[in-house]
Amino acid sequence: MTVARTVQFICVGTSHACTTRDLSGNKFQQNVSELLLTVNPDNFLSISNNHFFGSFPQKHPWHSSLRGLAFANNDLTGPAPNFTGLQLPYLQILLLQQNRLTGDLPLPPASNFKGLLAYSNNFTALDPNTWCKYYSDALFINLVDNAQPLA
């Protein structure tokens, strides 16, 4: 008996101007650096609950209109995306939990930020320049089970 499997892929917008991509919950296996070469929406990206692996490219052209990134529950390693010096004023949600990310957690300045989940990784420090100014009053933050207590 053959069982057909439906792949969840949601793209909101025209094929030339996709604003939202949701690839979550599919068991995809691909290097995250390769994926980000082809998938870079303007508004929201979720690749959570798959088997994406590898490290983020340290220089990536994130769209300034970006509102949410969800990379939770994969096999990602190495440093978190480097947002230092980027202007992402609309970023509201950043989900990095349950990977094997290491090092500092560089966060972009974002005045509308609502939540950060970065638990169960190996982060060692927060960027104090952005943390106190933009993130200390966010609605939800979970940083437990990292290499050191972060907050």
Side-chain angles (χ1 to χ4, degrees):
M1 175 183 204
T2 304
V3 177
R5 186 170 178 279
T6 302
V7 173
Q8 178 183 341
F9 177 81
I10 299 170
C11 180
V12 178
T14 66
S15 61
H16 297 289
C18 188
T19 60
T20 299
R21 294 210 189 246
D22 186 349
L23 302 169
S24 60
N26 282 299
K27 300 183 182 177
F28 288 142
Q29 295 183 20
Q30 184 178 0
N31 186 294
V32 71
S33 291
E34 293 172 4
L35 172 75
L36 290 175
L37 290 174
T38 58
V39 177
N40 193 21
D42 296 346
N43 192 2
F44 178 78
L45 172 62
S46 177
I47 64 167
S48 295
N49 302 311
N50 282 291
H51 300 285
F52 288 105
F53 58 88
S55 298
F56 288 101
Q58 287 305 294
K59 294 203 183 265
H60 184 72
W62 302 105
H63 289 278
S64 62
S65 60
L66 200 61
R67 286 175 167 67
L69 290 170
F71 299 123
N73 305 313
N74 280 290
D75 299 314
L76 304 174
T77 57
N82 187 351
F83 297 116
T84 305
L86 294 179
Q87 295 300 316
L88 299 175
Y90 304 107
L91 186 67
Q92 295 179 5
I93 302 292
L94 182 57
L95 307 177
L96 299 171
Q97 74 268 21
Q98 295 184 321
N99 282 290
R100 292 177 285 139
L101 299 171
T102 59
D104 293 350
L105 183 50
L107 300 171
S111 57
N112 296 315
F113 199 75
K114 305 285 188 259
L116 168 67
L117 297 179
Y119 62 85
S120 298
N121 279 289
N122 292 305
F123 292 122
T124 54
L126 294 169
D127 178 0
N129 296 319
T130 56
W131 177 253
C132 293
K133 185 173 180 181
Y134 297 103
Y135 299 101
S136 59
D137 292 331
L139 295 177
F140 65 91
I141 293 174
N142 188 336
L143 301 171
V144 300
D145 294 329
N146 275 284
Q148 299 178 31
L150 296 177

